[in-house]
Amino acid sequence: MTPEDKSDMVQCPVPIQGSEEGYRNPTELKMSQIVLPCHANHRGELSVGQLLKWMDSTACLSAERHAGCSCITASVDDIHFELTIGVGKVVNIIAKVNRAFTSSMEVGILVNCEDLYTDRQWKVCQAFATFVARRTEAGKVQLKQVIPRTQLEQMEYSLAAERRRMRLLHAEIITDLLSSSTAQPGECQEYQDAVPAEQTRVESVELVLPPHTNHQVSTFGGQIMAWMENVATISASRLCNAHPTLRSIDMFHFRGPSHIGDRLVLKSIVNNSFKHSMEVGVCAEAYQGREPLRHINSAFMTFEVLDSNWKPRTLPRIRPEPVDGKRRYQEAIARKKIRLDRKYIISCKQTEVPVSVPWDPSNQVRLYTLEENHMLRFKVEMHVGVAAEQTFQLLSDLRRRKEWDQHYKECEAIMQVNEEDTLYHVTTPSVSKVGKDNDFILLASRRKPCDSRDPYLIALRSVSLPTHPPTDGYTRGEVLCAGFTIREESGSLTKITYYNQATPGVLPYIATDIVGLSSSFYSSFSACSHFLEANKDVLTATSL
């Protein structure tokens, strides 16, 4: 779909932060660039390499505004390019620091495209980059903390800690996913008329000159990414004999710096091709003089080839090289599965059948996800052999939830508002080993059915309470909307559905649950089922 086809769906940019009248995040920076022919490719579209340079520059300046010193790019999370940008359009980039840690910080980056003639704007991509503050003469930098001021800033602040945890475990998680039996792709398939992978191999060298470096005389991270994108595009073109479009870049880390005078050796090859997409692996290595090569960066990029109607074309298959080529071929299949589970799963709309991936055919726990209006909705379903009213009484008392939910550490009833509504103070373990525990002020509302066809309802959401302000001992979290519906299907069989609403940004942190490579969701709701079965005959209080 072209930007012109889709732009009438979005009339304003997606906000990167919440807003309050008269308030602007002090770390927020904006860059606006008009796309000129010198920035474009053969189709008159902005080169992704150029866009990556602009994104990196904007994010770096935001990080340095917060740190008060020079910063370097450490890593960039997965980037999915939803649309392309044509010549004459305006690119608006917004970057701000979501959270600071000891010497590193997460910078959120939002890219929108603007049509000056129609005053329409649409989202192109969103990214999260990690920047590290460089040491000063006084020694290691200790960054000041970010104080969230709006609800969306608080959400990004909380998610930043989880994103950081996932980055630190990224290599280990990928290894586990690739070695898992559910991700094993099997043997390489032989295809007639397949293109030898060797034919797509590209090697190029770049000399790092002053224009390629930043004010710290280090090579721009965005410049390195642009060079990598260039050789990857050539590899992809050799497979399909056409001009490909870059759709996504997997999370990657900068393993070392590069400076003026470095020779950057860039190597790329098509690892595997699928019906409408291909994965290209690319790496950057640096050297000066006779020194050995230093590994700077590696990345995996996914390309498509669009026809005259902007629809993906069918691609030739690849014939992998022996040994390493076969390994890359198989790993590309596993990474494709992971990408689909992390991105495509939340793309289904109300008119489509929700995606459900049970962890095991024998269990009764199912997870669904649905993305709508920039919100991600989780739905977990299971059946229990407990009467609906008893299930309702047991689940509506949050003080007992810690008996089955490992995420509930303590739960104290603060106030009984009325027969149906209660305020609770809940504490949950930290997502990291060194971080503070989280706490929540939750309003729990419970509703009995008005009609025999209606379910029992339990709804939870965060509220602010003057008597219980945030404290230094906990990181205050927020629940946008969560709860249970409990429906009687027979006298002793009850269907429980759990709902939770968040932003799509949380999907990467539950991806292993969705694909069946983790059992944390299953473990929690299996424990819930055992809890209900064990207490199905226990008398419960009528009030909370």
Side-chain angles (χ1 to χ4, degrees), residues 246-292:
L246 179 59
R247 281 304 183 205
S248 66
I249 305 175
D250 285 11
M251 179 190 293
F252 59 85
H253 298 261
F254 284 95
R255 301 172 183 270
S258 171
H259 306 286
I260 291 177
D262 275 349
R263 280 70 169 171
L264 248 63
V265 179
L266 304 140
K267 303 174 183 178
S268 65
I269 191 170
V270 176
N271 291 331
N272 204 337
S273 65
F274 309 97
K275 184 175 182 180
H276 293 136
S277 66
M278 70 184 92
E279 181 194 274
V280 179
V282 56
C283 74
E285 299 172 313
Y287 73 95
Q288 287 198 20
R290 297 182 181 277
E291 71 178 20

Side-chain angles (χ1 to χ4, degrees), residues 6 38 43 54 66 82 101 127 185 198 211 253 258 276 295 333 349 388 407 437 439 445 475 484:
K6 192 172 181 179
C38 62
R43 300 187 70 156
W54 287 341
H66 180 74
E82 299 180 16
F101 302 96
E198 182 62 30
H253 298 261
S258 171
H276 293 136
H295 188 186
I333 297 174
K349 306 301 178 183
H407 300 102
D437 287 352
D439 75 334
S445 300
T475 299
F484 297 88

Side-chain angles (χ1 to χ4, degrees), residues 2 10-11 41 81 110 124 191 244 260 305 315 334 337 341-342 367 372 390 439 495 498 524:
T2 65
V10 183
Q11 299 297 325
N41 59 22
F81 300 97
L110 178 68
V124 175
Y191 293 95
I260 291 177
V305 178
L315 299 176
K337 182 179 188 302
D341 292 327
R342 294 178 64 174
L367 169 67
E372 183 183 31
Q390 181 72 355
D439 75 334
K495 180 181 179 180
Y498 171 76
S524 294

Side-chain angles (χ1 to χ4, degrees), residues 430-448:
S430 168
V431 296
S432 64
K433 295 180 180 180
V434 296
K436 294 186 292 186
D437 287 352
N438 301 297
D439 75 334
F440 302 80
I441 304 299
L442 297 182
L443 172 64
S445 300
R446 52 185 237 155
R447 302 288 188 270
K448 293 185 177 181

Side-chain angles (χ1 to χ4, degrees), residues 76-342:
V76 180
D77 290 3
D78 298 356
I79 306 176
H80 179 78
F81 300 97
E82 299 180 16
L83 295 168
T84 56
I85 304 173
V87 170
K89 300 296 191 294
V90 172
V91 179
N92 296 308
I93 304 172
I94 306 173
K96 74 174 186 68
V97 177
N98 290 330
R99 186 164 183 165
F101 302 96
T102 304
S103 59
S104 67
M105 69 203 90
E106 179 191 276
V107 180
I109 310 164
L110 178 68
V111 180
N112 288 306
C113 183
E114 178 182 356
D115 188 328
L116 295 174
Y117 296 99
T118 62
D119 198 31
R120 293 180 301 185
Q121 299 191 36
W122 56 90
K123 179 181 173 183
V124 175
C125 67
Q126 187 170 9
F128 297 96
T130 300
F131 284 82
V132 176
R134 295 174 66 98
R135 289 177 178 270
T136 64
E137 294 181 359
K140 191 173 182 180
V141 175
Q142 176 69 46
L143 294 173
K144 61 183 178 182
Q145 293 300 304
V146 172
I147 302 175
R149 289 277 302 275
T150 68
Q151 184 176 5
L152 284 179
E153 283 186 1
Q154 177 64 58
M155 176 67 72
E156 291 295 350
Y157 179 88
S158 299
L159 288 175
E162 180 66 6
R163 282 190 286 259
R164 180 172 185 264
R165 184 180 71 86
M166 296 300 292
R167 288 182 202 112
L168 296 175
L169 297 173
H170 180 65
E172 179 182 336
I173 289 172
I174 290 296
T175 300
D176 290 344
L177 292 176
L178 294 175
S179 62
S180 170
S181 59
T182 57
Q184 283 298 321
E187 293 299 321
C188 299
Q189 300 182 49
E190 294 292 338
Y191 293 95
Q192 188 177 7
D193 301 325
V195 176
E198 182 62 30
Q199 184 175 313
T200 69
R201 184 182 296 279
V202 176
E203 182 170 328
S204 180
V205 64
E206 298 283 353
L207 175 62
V208 179
L209 300 172
H212 303 139
T213 60
N214 55 26
H215 49 294
Q216 310 151 30
V217 201
S218 296
T219 314
F220 273 116
Q223 178 63 71
I224 296 174
M225 289 188 281
W227 282 332
M228 295 174 73
E229 185 266 341
N230 179 62
V231 296
T233 300
I234 297 172
S235 284
S237 300
R238 288 181 175 175
L239 174 72
C240 58
N241 296 321
H243 295 283
T245 298
L246 179 59
R247 281 304 183 205
S248 66
I249 305 175
D250 285 11
M251 179 190 293
F252 59 85
H253 298 261
F254 284 95
R255 301 172 183 270
S258 171
H259 306 286
I260 291 177
D262 275 349
R263 280 70 169 171
L264 248 63
V265 179
L266 304 140
K267 303 174 183 178
S268 65
I269 191 170
V270 176
N271 291 331
N272 204 337
S273 65
F274 309 97
K275 184 175 182 180
H276 293 136
S277 66
M278 70 184 92
E279 181 194 274
V280 179
V282 56
C283 74
E285 299 172 313
Y287 73 95
Q288 287 198 20
R290 297 182 181 277
E291 71 178 20
L293 292 171
R294 310 189 313 272
H295 188 186
I296 301 297
N297 196 359
S298 292
F300 299 101
M301 302 185 182
T302 302
F303 288 85
E304 292 177 349
V305 178
L306 304 179
D307 61 20
S308 58
N309 296 317
W310 296 83
K311 300 296 183 183
R313 277 175 35 185
T314 301
L315 299 176
R317 299 313 300 248
I318 199 82
R319 182 184 304 122
E321 301 170 301
V323 191
D324 279 351
K326 290 185 176 181
R327 172 185 57 80
R328 291 194 299 266
Y329 180 96
Q330 292 179 330
E331 289 178 351
I333 297 174
R335 278 190 295 267
K336 179 175 184 283
K337 182 179 188 302
I338 296 165
R339 282 186 212 108
L340 291 175
D341 292 327
R342 294 178 64 174

Side-chain angles (χ1 to χ4, degrees), residues 390-441:
Q390 181 72 355
T391 300
F392 171 69
Q393 296 291 348
L394 290 168
L395 293 181
S396 60
D397 185 353
L398 293 197
R399 294 170 297 183
R400 300 199 64 179
R401 185 157 171 173
K402 64 181 181 181
E403 296 180 38
W404 60 269
D405 190 344
Q406 61 182 345
H407 300 102
Y408 270 57
K409 192 173 182 180
E410 294 294 339
C411 182
E412 171 193 5
I414 300 173
M415 181 190 306
Q416 181 86 39
V417 181
N418 52 47
E419 185 178 350
E420 296 181 327
D421 302 316
T422 307
L423 289 168
Y424 290 95
H425 179 235
V426 177
T427 60
T428 65
S430 168
V431 296
S432 64
K433 295 180 180 180
V434 296
K436 294 186 292 186
D437 287 352
N438 301 297
D439 75 334
F440 302 80
I441 304 299

Side-chain angles (χ1 to χ4, degrees), residues 32-74:
S32 294
Q33 298 278 356
I34 190 164
V35 180
L36 302 175
C38 62
H39 302 138
N41 59 22
H42 68 289
R43 300 187 70 156
E45 300 165 353
L46 174 64
S47 161
V48 172
Q50 180 62 62
L51 177 58
L52 291 170
K53 287 196 281 188
W54 287 341
M55 291 169 64
D56 183 64
S57 297
T58 310
C60 182
L61 293 174
S62 174
E64 291 183 345
R65 172 179 281 187
H66 180 74
C69 63
S70 299
C71 297
I72 57 175
T73 313

